[in-house]
Structure formats: C-alpha cells, structure tokens
Amino acid sequence: MVRLLLSLLGACLMLVGALLPCLGASVSASLDRAIAESGETLRLNVTLEGEQPTAVPRLPNLPLVQSIQYLGPRQMTQIVNGVSSFQVVFQFQLQTRGEGDLTVPALTVATRAGSLQTEPVSCRITPREPKNDRVTLKIVTPRDECYVGQTLPYDLQLYSSVNLNQIAPPKMSFDGFVTGQEMPASNTQTVRDGQAFIVLSYRHTATPTKEGVLSLGPATQEYVLEVNRGRRPRSLLDDFIGGGAELERGTAEAPARTIRVKALPTEGRPPGFSGAIGRFTVRPVASRTNVAVGEAITVKWLVSGRGSFPSVPSPQLTPVDGLKSYPGTNGFKSDDPLGLAGTKTFESMVVLESPEIRALAFEPFSYFDPDTGRYTTVRPRPIAVTVRSESGRTAISSSPATPAPVAGTRPANHREDLMSLSIRGGRRVPAGPPWARQPMWLALGTAPLLALAGLVGWQRWRERRQRLLRPTQASLMRDAVAAHRAALGAAAEAGRSGEFFAALDALLRLQCALALGGASGDAITAGVVDADLVPRGLDPAQAANLRELFAAVDAAKFAPEGGPVALSGLRQRAESAMDALTALERGSP
C-alpha cells in the first residue's frame, strides 16, 4: 500500500513538473494610446512571457487601418535566483484612417508549448485636428454627449515635435464635473504627414453632476524646450558642460471641450431603478443553504459589468416573514485601470427564523444602458434553502419508573444476579496490538514524511537538471542571431524593406555584442566600430562596411522602402560583415 501511494505521488509530481512551463507562459496585447487622431500611427505590442515563440503573429485586415508595418521583436532575458525568464515583444506600427472604434481582435501566438491567444484591444479614432505649433495640448473624449451620473473617460494629450527639457503637471478646470480615477502619464511616439511627434498622454475620468451644456476644461501645461540657436550641431560634450542650445519656457493651452449632458429619461424607468448606469449582471451567492432556525448566513451579490460603479446600489432581498437582513460590507475589484469595468461585491448577514422559508428571493435589479438609451431589468435566480425546526440536539429521555413490589412476594436479590454474572464464563479473545502499531496506521503516519522527502529530493534533482540544461546568455544571443539572419534573407527575397531593416538592426547589435563579449546588444551603436572592434583586429574594409550598414539602418527609419535589388545587395554585405564578426569572436580575424 505504501508503494502504491508513493508511486501515485511521484506520478503527480512529474505531471505537475511537465505542466509548469505551459502554465507559466502568458501573452498580452496593448496599444500605446486609447484615443488617437485619424492619420496618425499607433504602436501595437504583443508581449509573450515564459516561452519561446515559433512564428511572428499575423494581424488580420482592420477596417480603420491603412497599413501595418512589423517593426521587429524586442527580446529580454532576466536571471533571478538562478531562474531565467524570457520575454519577447512583437512590435507593429498601424497607420490609421477614418473615424470610429478600432478593435484589434484576439491574436494567436505559436510557441513551443502550444498556441496562446491575446485579449482584444481597442482604440477610439477621432477626427483630424491641425497642429501648427511645435507644442500642442488638447482634450480628447470618446464622445461629446453623455448622461448625468455617467462616468466619462477623457485624455489630455501633449504633442511635441521638438525636444522638451522639462514638463510641469497639467492644470485643468471643470464645470459641473466630479473628477475620478487617473492613470500615470504614458510617453509614446506617432507619425503624421511624415513628421514625428512625441505624445504625452494623461488618462482621467469625470462624472457630470447636472444636465445642460457643460465645459470640460480649458487646460494649460508649462514646459521648457531646447532651442539650438548656434550654427554647429550639439555634441555629447554639450550634455555635460552646456552649450549649443538654449532653454525656452512656454505654456501649451487646450481649449475647453463642450459636453452635452442629458438627464436620464423618465419613459420606461422601472419602479425599482436606483441610479445604476452601464451594463451589468447580478449573481447572488449564499454561504450555506442548510441551517437551523435562528442561524445566520452570509449572502453576497456579485454585480459585474462595465459602467459607473459608484452609482451601483446594493441589490435587495424580497422581504418575507421570519427573515431578517443586516447590511454588511462591500468591495470592488477593477478589471480596468480607470475602474470602468470590474465586479462590485455586496455582503449582507441574513437570519432565518422560520422553517417555512423554502428559498431566498431577490428584488429585480434595474440599470440604464447609455449605449442603447434604454432601461434593463434583471431578475436574480432564487436560492433554495432548508431551515430545520430543531438545532440537531436530541432530547434525553427519563428512565422508566421502578414497579412497586407485589404484596406477598420477596424482593429480587440483585446481589445474587451480580454474583451470577461475575462467575459466568465466556470466550477468550487474544489482546491485539494498539492501533498506533497497526500496519495501516503506520502507513498513514509515515506517508506524509515520505512524500515530503520525495518532494524535496525531486526539487533538488530538478534544480540541478535546470542548471545543467539552462542555456547561457551567449547561446540565447546566437539563437537570436540565427533567427534574424533567416528573417533577413526572407525579407530580402520578398522585397519587404520594413522587415529587412528591422532584422538588420537587431542582427548588427547582437553580433557586435557577441564579438565584444557583452551581455546584450541594447547599448550597441555605430561608435563601437572604431572604438572597440577595430582595436581588436577587425579588418578596415569590414569596419567601413559596418559603418555603412549602421547608417543604412538609421536612414531607413524615415526613408521610403527600397526595391528588391537594393535589399539583395545589402543582404550580401550584411552576411560578409556577420562572418567577419563571427571570426573576430572566435579569435581568428
């Protein structure tokens, strides 16, 4: 029996060890902004953690996207307490067009352990606005009308086509609004009409408290920018001792956004409506359903959905005789950084004082859906309960009365009965060992200790095996170099210049880092050619070739795509440079 228990425990541990890598992998998708103007570029990042990808995820045709450009992967490996974690970020640039809600559906990412899917992400595409100044501030809302009590998200976006040295927090005024949640500012880049902009976005929420035409804003933000008034360009020395540029203070102003706030309609309003605005579902849960009379249970209401959760009231029990309810606590679990989606939990203590109660019934819950402009009523399903009339204690019966002796009879001699019982013989039974020394109890007592010892031994064996099989940083970088070289050749043959230069950029940085013995290629630039590679023995012709390849990558970030012939020539030069760097890494220039 002990062997069987140990065998089952070992099989379970092996199964869990095999499933741990799959369970630890995750994938997510994100857009760099929630609101963007038509004609601007958006950055889509697909992040894979804990697994190695086998292919680049493919994006479908999107109605509000004019073109999709793959910018290449960004890889990062971390080693914490001897355990390595791997992350890959696939970067895409989306050129927007039109107006409306842009939704990127669920994307499939193929990995060695199987396929994973992302959650859909969306962005609001607003009409295009002119930007004539170097620094522009604007207030962006997904819509220009809402209802009283409806939470309205908005973005305060600062566009800059120049380098900003300092930025002060924005200041904004409100007319008839109550401010709510806010997110930390996000810094991203966008391109419109061939010009690059830095976008600093602040996401907030505001709730109107009255109807009418209200103003959201205006807003102002102070900044300090660098102006190069000299004839020579800035150098690296200027960042330490100053010079080459002057600081200029300015203030960006955003005009107020006009919001038309409507009152909730009276037509079709249910009698039990308490002010919930959004779209919700209600699920009641009882802690117990089988109780005795007078016992208390806890009833929870889980209100889930999307909308203005501060206006969501607590659902109610249908009052009946023999039922008492006492309000308890409530909490909120957000699924959205702004608190627009999640689950609000209400608790109540309920005492059942009548065995006639067969179920807990709930009052209808009504809410107003601003998307449809109508009221909706949901009726939670009743919960069947059993209320016992007794608490489970059995009554102690009194002993029967001793009959009175009959006249003329001799009372029974109980002593003789006891003596006769004491001398009666019986079958002798050999005394067994105590229960603590029986085989079954011994096996049950030692099984946890054996299981703990087996778990510790298996964990040590697994750690030792991971140390022996764990790839080094250099091997991971060489695998990435091989993958980028294959992507470089495929992009050159197909004439896809965007993918070609993204692969070439990563390939140059990684191969130079390997030749120099560095940990990663993030800090590699064209300056290492003359500063580090040439002193180590790199051929001057290959050094000139590397400098030209780095320059071609920098120029391709804003230059139009090249033809297949130009990509084919660059591919041959890149292969020659990679071979020279590989020979330099091995010590044979």
Side-chain angles (χ1 to χ4, degrees), residues 466-514:
Q466 285 183 349
R467 287 194 299 269
L468 294 176
L469 299 180
R470 185 182 300 121
T472 62
Q473 179 68 19
S475 64
L476 292 175
M477 293 173 66
R478 292 190 185 95
D479 293 341
V481 166
H484 287 305
R485 292 186 76 163
L488 187 76
E493 294 176 359
R496 297 189 295 268
S497 63
E499 297 181 12
F500 176 86
F501 284 107
L504 180 59
D505 184 21
L507 191 59
L508 290 174
R509 291 187 288 102
L510 287 173
Q511 192 64 65
C512 288
L514 285 173

Short mmCIF file of all heavy atoms in Angstrom, two decimals, residues 466-514:
data_model
loop_
_atom_site.label_atom_id
_atom_site.label_comp_id
_atom_site.label_asym_id
_atom_site.label_seq_id
_atom_site.Cartn_x
_atom_site.Cartn_y
_atom_site.Cartn_z
N GLN A 466 18.09 21.73 -14.27
CA GLN A 466 17.94 23.04 -14.90
C GLN A 466 19.26 23.77 -15.02
O GLN A 466 19.53 24.43 -16.02
CB GLN A 466 16.94 23.89 -14.11
CG GLN A 466 15.49 23.49 -14.31
CD GLN A 466 14.55 24.40 -13.57
OE1 GLN A 466 14.99 25.21 -12.76
NE2 GLN A 466 13.27 24.29 -13.83
N ARG A 467 20.12 23.64 -13.98
CA ARG A 467 21.43 24.28 -14.07
C ARG A 467 22.28 23.68 -15.18
O ARG A 467 23.06 24.38 -15.83
CB ARG A 467 22.16 24.17 -12.73
CG ARG A 467 21.60 25.08 -11.64
CD ARG A 467 22.56 25.17 -10.48
NE ARG A 467 22.82 23.89 -9.84
CZ ARG A 467 22.11 23.42 -8.82
NH1 ARG A 467 21.13 24.13 -8.32
NH2 ARG A 467 22.38 22.25 -8.29
N LEU A 468 22.13 22.35 -15.39
CA LEU A 468 22.92 21.71 -16.43
C LEU A 468 22.39 22.02 -17.82
O LEU A 468 23.16 22.13 -18.78
CB LEU A 468 22.94 20.18 -16.21
CG LEU A 468 23.66 19.71 -14.94
CD1 LEU A 468 23.52 18.20 -14.79
CD2 LEU A 468 25.14 20.10 -14.97
N LEU A 469 21.06 22.15 -17.95
CA LEU A 469 20.45 22.35 -19.26
C LEU A 469 20.13 23.80 -19.56
O LEU A 469 19.67 24.10 -20.66
CB LEU A 469 19.15 21.52 -19.36
CG LEU A 469 19.31 20.00 -19.22
CD1 LEU A 469 17.96 19.33 -19.33
CD2 LEU A 469 20.27 19.45 -20.26
N ARG A 470 20.31 24.72 -18.59
CA ARG A 470 19.94 26.10 -18.81
C ARG A 470 20.85 26.75 -19.86
O ARG A 470 22.07 26.69 -19.75
CB ARG A 470 20.03 26.90 -17.51
CG ARG A 470 19.53 28.34 -17.63
CD ARG A 470 19.70 29.06 -16.32
NE ARG A 470 18.93 28.40 -15.28
CZ ARG A 470 19.47 27.92 -14.17
NH1 ARG A 470 20.76 28.00 -13.96
NH2 ARG A 470 18.71 27.32 -13.26
N PRO A 471 20.27 27.34 -20.88
CA PRO A 471 21.13 27.97 -21.89
C PRO A 471 21.77 29.23 -21.34
O PRO A 471 21.21 29.96 -20.54
CB PRO A 471 20.14 28.31 -23.02
CG PRO A 471 18.82 28.42 -22.35
CD PRO A 471 18.85 27.44 -21.21
N THR A 472 22.99 29.49 -21.78
CA THR A 472 23.71 30.69 -21.38
C THR A 472 23.20 31.89 -22.16
O THR A 472 22.48 31.75 -23.16
CB THR A 472 25.22 30.51 -21.59
OG1 THR A 472 25.44 30.31 -23.00
CG2 THR A 472 25.75 29.31 -20.82
N GLN A 473 23.60 33.07 -21.70
CA GLN A 473 23.19 34.29 -22.39
C GLN A 473 23.76 34.32 -23.81
O GLN A 473 23.10 34.74 -24.75
CB GLN A 473 23.67 35.50 -21.59
CG GLN A 473 23.32 36.84 -22.21
CD GLN A 473 21.83 37.10 -22.20
OE1 GLN A 473 21.11 36.47 -21.44
NE2 GLN A 473 21.36 37.99 -23.04
N ALA A 474 25.02 33.84 -23.95
CA ALA A 474 25.63 33.86 -25.28
C ALA A 474 24.91 32.91 -26.24
O ALA A 474 24.69 33.24 -27.41
CB ALA A 474 27.10 33.48 -25.18
N SER A 475 24.48 31.73 -25.73
CA SER A 475 23.76 30.81 -26.61
C SER A 475 22.40 31.36 -27.03
O SER A 475 21.97 31.20 -28.17
CB SER A 475 23.60 29.45 -25.92
OG SER A 475 22.78 29.61 -24.77
N LEU A 476 21.74 32.05 -26.10
CA LEU A 476 20.47 32.68 -26.46
C LEU A 476 20.67 33.76 -27.51
O LEU A 476 19.86 33.90 -28.45
CB LEU A 476 19.81 33.26 -25.21
CG LEU A 476 19.32 32.27 -24.16
CD1 LEU A 476 18.80 33.01 -22.93
CD2 LEU A 476 18.22 31.39 -24.73
N MET A 477 21.75 34.53 -27.38
CA MET A 477 22.01 35.57 -28.37
C MET A 477 22.36 34.96 -29.72
O MET A 477 21.97 35.47 -30.77
CB MET A 477 23.15 36.47 -27.87
CG MET A 477 22.77 37.30 -26.63
SD MET A 477 24.17 38.21 -25.92
CE MET A 477 24.51 39.36 -27.25
N ARG A 478 23.10 33.83 -29.73
CA ARG A 478 23.41 33.19 -31.01
C ARG A 478 22.15 32.64 -31.67
O ARG A 478 22.02 32.68 -32.90
CB ARG A 478 24.44 32.08 -30.78
CG ARG A 478 25.83 32.59 -30.37
CD ARG A 478 26.87 31.48 -30.40
NE ARG A 478 28.14 31.95 -29.88
CZ ARG A 478 28.55 31.79 -28.63
NH1 ARG A 478 27.75 31.18 -27.75
NH2 ARG A 478 29.72 32.25 -28.24
N ASP A 479 21.24 32.09 -30.86
CA ASP A 479 19.96 31.63 -31.44
C ASP A 479 19.19 32.80 -32.06
O ASP A 479 18.59 32.68 -33.13
CB ASP A 479 19.11 30.96 -30.35
CG ASP A 479 19.73 29.66 -29.87
OD1 ASP A 479 20.59 29.11 -30.60
OD2 ASP A 479 19.37 29.19 -28.78
N ALA A 480 19.22 33.96 -31.36
CA ALA A 480 18.53 35.13 -31.90
C ALA A 480 19.20 35.61 -33.19
O ALA A 480 18.53 36.03 -34.15
CB ALA A 480 18.51 36.26 -30.87
N VAL A 481 20.54 35.53 -33.26
CA VAL A 481 21.25 35.92 -34.48
C VAL A 481 20.85 35.03 -35.64
O VAL A 481 20.60 35.49 -36.78
CB VAL A 481 22.78 35.88 -34.24
CG1 VAL A 481 23.54 35.93 -35.57
CG2 VAL A 481 23.21 37.03 -33.36
N ALA A 482 20.77 33.71 -35.39
CA ALA A 482 20.36 32.79 -36.46
C ALA A 482 18.94 33.09 -36.95
O ALA A 482 18.67 33.08 -38.16
CB ALA A 482 20.46 31.35 -35.97
N ALA A 483 18.04 33.40 -36.02
CA ALA A 483 16.67 33.71 -36.41
C ALA A 483 16.60 35.01 -37.22
O ALA A 483 15.88 35.09 -38.23
CB ALA A 483 15.79 33.82 -35.17
N HIS A 484 17.36 36.02 -36.81
CA HIS A 484 17.34 37.29 -37.55
C HIS A 484 17.98 37.15 -38.93
O HIS A 484 17.57 37.82 -39.88
CB HIS A 484 18.04 38.37 -36.73
CG HIS A 484 17.25 38.85 -35.56
ND1 HIS A 484 15.97 39.35 -35.66
CD2 HIS A 484 17.55 38.89 -34.23
CE1 HIS A 484 15.52 39.69 -34.49
NE2 HIS A 484 16.45 39.41 -33.58
N ARG A 485 19.02 36.29 -39.05
CA ARG A 485 19.63 36.08 -40.37
C ARG A 485 18.64 35.42 -41.33
O ARG A 485 18.56 35.75 -42.52
CB ARG A 485 20.90 35.25 -40.23
CG ARG A 485 22.02 35.97 -39.51
CD ARG A 485 23.31 35.19 -39.50
NE ARG A 485 23.99 35.25 -40.80
CZ ARG A 485 25.27 34.94 -40.98
NH1 ARG A 485 26.01 34.57 -39.93
NH2 ARG A 485 25.82 35.00 -42.18
N ALA A 486 17.86 34.47 -40.79
CA ALA A 486 16.84 33.84 -41.63
C ALA A 486 15.76 34.84 -42.02
O ALA A 486 15.31 34.89 -43.17
CB ALA A 486 16.23 32.65 -40.89
N ALA A 487 15.34 35.69 -41.06
CA ALA A 487 14.33 36.71 -41.38
C ALA A 487 14.87 37.72 -42.37
O ALA A 487 14.15 38.23 -43.23
CB ALA A 487 13.87 37.41 -40.10
N LEU A 488 16.18 38.03 -42.28
CA LEU A 488 16.80 38.97 -43.21
C LEU A 488 16.76 38.44 -44.63
O LEU A 488 16.41 39.15 -45.58
CB LEU A 488 18.25 39.24 -42.77
CG LEU A 488 19.02 40.32 -43.53
CD1 LEU A 488 18.54 41.68 -43.10
CD2 LEU A 488 20.51 40.17 -43.30
N GLY A 489 17.09 37.14 -44.79
CA GLY A 489 17.04 36.57 -46.13
C GLY A 489 15.65 36.49 -46.70
O GLY A 489 15.42 36.80 -47.88
N ALA A 490 14.67 36.11 -45.86
CA ALA A 490 13.29 36.02 -46.34
C ALA A 490 12.76 37.39 -46.73
O ALA A 490 12.07 37.54 -47.75
CB ALA A 490 12.41 35.38 -45.28
N ALA A 491 13.07 38.44 -45.94
CA ALA A 491 12.59 39.78 -46.26
C ALA A 491 13.26 40.32 -47.52
O ALA A 491 12.63 41.02 -48.32
CB ALA A 491 12.86 40.72 -45.08
N ALA A 492 14.54 39.99 -47.75
CA ALA A 492 15.21 40.45 -48.95
C ALA A 492 14.63 39.81 -50.20
O ALA A 492 14.44 40.46 -51.23
CB ALA A 492 16.72 40.16 -48.84
N GLU A 493 14.31 38.50 -50.12
CA GLU A 493 13.74 37.83 -51.28
C GLU A 493 12.33 38.32 -51.58
O GLU A 493 11.93 38.41 -52.75
CB GLU A 493 13.74 36.32 -51.04
CG GLU A 493 15.14 35.72 -50.96
CD GLU A 493 15.09 34.23 -50.63
OE1 GLU A 493 13.96 33.73 -50.45
OE2 GLU A 493 16.15 33.60 -50.54
N ALA A 494 11.56 38.65 -50.55
CA ALA A 494 10.19 39.12 -50.76
C ALA A 494 10.12 40.62 -51.01
O ALA A 494 9.05 41.13 -51.35
CB ALA A 494 9.32 38.76 -49.56
N GLY A 495 11.23 41.35 -50.83
CA GLY A 495 11.22 42.79 -51.06
C GLY A 495 10.52 43.59 -49.98
O GLY A 495 10.04 44.68 -50.24
N ARG A 496 10.44 43.07 -48.72
CA ARG A 496 9.80 43.79 -47.64
C ARG A 496 10.87 44.56 -46.86
O ARG A 496 11.58 44.01 -46.02
CB ARG A 496 9.07 42.81 -46.71
CG ARG A 496 7.94 42.05 -47.40
CD ARG A 496 7.11 41.26 -46.38
NE ARG A 496 7.89 40.21 -45.76
CZ ARG A 496 7.95 38.96 -46.19
NH1 ARG A 496 7.28 38.61 -47.29
NH2 ARG A 496 8.67 38.06 -45.57
N SER A 497 11.00 45.82 -47.19
CA SER A 497 12.09 46.61 -46.64
C SER A 497 11.92 46.86 -45.14
O SER A 497 12.90 46.93 -44.40
CB SER A 497 12.20 47.94 -47.38
OG SER A 497 11.00 48.70 -47.19
N GLY A 498 10.68 47.02 -44.67
CA GLY A 498 10.47 47.28 -43.24
C GLY A 498 10.99 46.13 -42.39
O GLY A 498 11.73 46.32 -41.42
N GLU A 499 10.60 44.88 -42.75
CA GLU A 499 11.08 43.73 -42.00
C GLU A 499 12.59 43.53 -42.20
O GLU A 499 13.30 43.09 -41.29
CB GLU A 499 10.33 42.48 -42.46
CG GLU A 499 8.83 42.54 -42.19
CD GLU A 499 8.13 41.26 -42.63
OE1 GLU A 499 8.83 40.28 -42.91
OE2 GLU A 499 6.88 41.26 -42.71
N PHE A 500 13.10 43.88 -43.39
CA PHE A 500 14.52 43.69 -43.66
C PHE A 500 15.37 44.57 -42.74
O PHE A 500 16.31 44.10 -42.10
CB PHE A 500 14.80 44.01 -45.13
CG PHE A 500 16.27 43.93 -45.51
CD1 PHE A 500 16.83 42.71 -45.88
CD2 PHE A 500 17.07 45.05 -45.48
CE1 PHE A 500 18.16 42.63 -46.21
CE2 PHE A 500 18.42 44.97 -45.82
CZ PHE A 500 18.97 43.75 -46.19
N PHE A 501 15.03 45.87 -42.66
CA PHE A 501 15.86 46.76 -41.85
C PHE A 501 15.66 46.52 -40.36
O PHE A 501 16.58 46.74 -39.57
CB PHE A 501 15.55 48.22 -42.21
CG PHE A 501 16.17 48.65 -43.52
CD1 PHE A 501 15.37 48.84 -44.64
CD2 PHE A 501 17.54 48.83 -43.63
CE1 PHE A 501 15.93 49.23 -45.84
CE2 PHE A 501 18.09 49.22 -44.83
CZ PHE A 501 17.29 49.42 -45.95
N ALA A 502 14.47 46.05 -39.93
CA ALA A 502 14.29 45.69 -38.52
C ALA A 502 15.17 44.50 -38.15
O ALA A 502 15.81 44.48 -37.08
CB ALA A 502 12.82 45.37 -38.25
N ALA A 503 15.22 43.49 -39.03
CA ALA A 503 16.08 42.34 -38.76
C ALA A 503 17.56 42.73 -38.83
O ALA A 503 18.38 42.25 -38.04
CB ALA A 503 15.78 41.23 -39.77
N LEU A 504 17.92 43.61 -39.78
CA LEU A 504 19.31 44.04 -39.90
C LEU A 504 19.75 44.82 -38.66
O LEU A 504 20.88 44.66 -38.18
CB LEU A 504 19.48 44.89 -41.16
CG LEU A 504 20.89 45.43 -41.45
CD1 LEU A 504 21.89 44.28 -41.58
CD2 LEU A 504 20.90 46.29 -42.70
N ASP A 505 18.89 45.67 -38.15
CA ASP A 505 19.22 46.44 -36.94
C ASP A 505 19.51 45.51 -35.77
O ASP A 505 20.53 45.65 -35.08
CB ASP A 505 18.05 47.37 -36.62
CG ASP A 505 18.36 48.27 -35.43
OD1 ASP A 505 19.56 48.46 -35.13
OD2 ASP A 505 17.42 48.79 -34.81
N ALA A 506 18.61 44.55 -35.51
CA ALA A 506 18.83 43.62 -34.40
C ALA A 506 20.06 42.75 -34.65
O ALA A 506 20.81 42.42 -33.72
CB ALA A 506 17.59 42.75 -34.21
N LEU A 507 20.29 42.36 -35.90
CA LEU A 507 21.42 41.49 -36.23
C LEU A 507 22.75 42.19 -35.98
O LEU A 507 23.69 41.61 -35.40
CB LEU A 507 21.29 41.05 -37.70
CG LEU A 507 22.21 39.93 -38.17
CD1 LEU A 507 21.98 38.67 -37.37
CD2 LEU A 507 21.98 39.65 -39.65
N LEU A 508 22.87 43.45 -36.39
CA LEU A 508 24.12 44.18 -36.18
C LEU A 508 24.43 44.36 -34.69
O LEU A 508 25.56 44.15 -34.25
CB LEU A 508 24.03 45.56 -36.87
CG LEU A 508 24.02 45.57 -38.41
CD1 LEU A 508 23.78 46.97 -38.92
CD2 LEU A 508 25.32 45.02 -38.96
N ARG A 509 23.42 44.71 -33.92
CA ARG A 509 23.65 44.95 -32.48
C ARG A 509 24.03 43.66 -31.75
O ARG A 509 24.94 43.64 -30.93
CB ARG A 509 22.42 45.60 -31.85
CG ARG A 509 22.20 47.04 -32.32
CD ARG A 509 21.08 47.75 -31.58
NE ARG A 509 19.76 47.27 -31.96
CZ ARG A 509 19.03 46.44 -31.25
NH1 ARG A 509 19.48 46.02 -30.08
NH2 ARG A 509 17.84 46.04 -31.65
N LEU A 510 23.31 42.56 -32.06
CA LEU A 510 23.59 41.30 -31.37
C LEU A 510 24.95 40.74 -31.75
O LEU A 510 25.71 40.27 -30.89
CB LEU A 510 22.49 40.29 -31.70
CG LEU A 510 21.12 40.53 -31.04
CD1 LEU A 510 20.10 39.55 -31.58
CD2 LEU A 510 21.23 40.40 -29.54
N GLN A 511 25.30 40.77 -33.04
CA GLN A 511 26.58 40.19 -33.47
C GLN A 511 27.75 41.03 -32.95
O GLN A 511 28.80 40.48 -32.57
CB GLN A 511 26.63 40.11 -35.00
CG GLN A 511 27.80 39.27 -35.52
CD GLN A 511 27.67 37.80 -35.09
OE1 GLN A 511 26.75 37.12 -35.49
NE2 GLN A 511 28.59 37.34 -34.26
N CYS A 512 27.62 42.34 -32.92
CA CYS A 512 28.67 43.19 -32.34
C CYS A 512 28.82 42.92 -30.83
O CYS A 512 29.94 42.88 -30.30
CB CYS A 512 28.36 44.66 -32.57
SG CYS A 512 28.56 45.20 -34.29
N ALA A 513 27.70 42.72 -30.14
CA ALA A 513 27.77 42.42 -28.70
C ALA A 513 28.46 41.08 -28.46
O ALA A 513 29.25 40.93 -27.53
CB ALA A 513 26.37 42.41 -28.10
N LEU A 514 28.21 40.07 -29.32
CA LEU A 514 28.90 38.79 -29.17
C LEU A 514 30.39 38.94 -29.43
O LEU A 514 31.22 38.35 -28.73
CB LEU A 514 28.29 37.78 -30.15
CG LEU A 514 26.92 37.20 -29.78
CD1 LEU A 514 26.37 36.36 -30.92
CD2 LEU A 514 27.03 36.36 -28.52
#
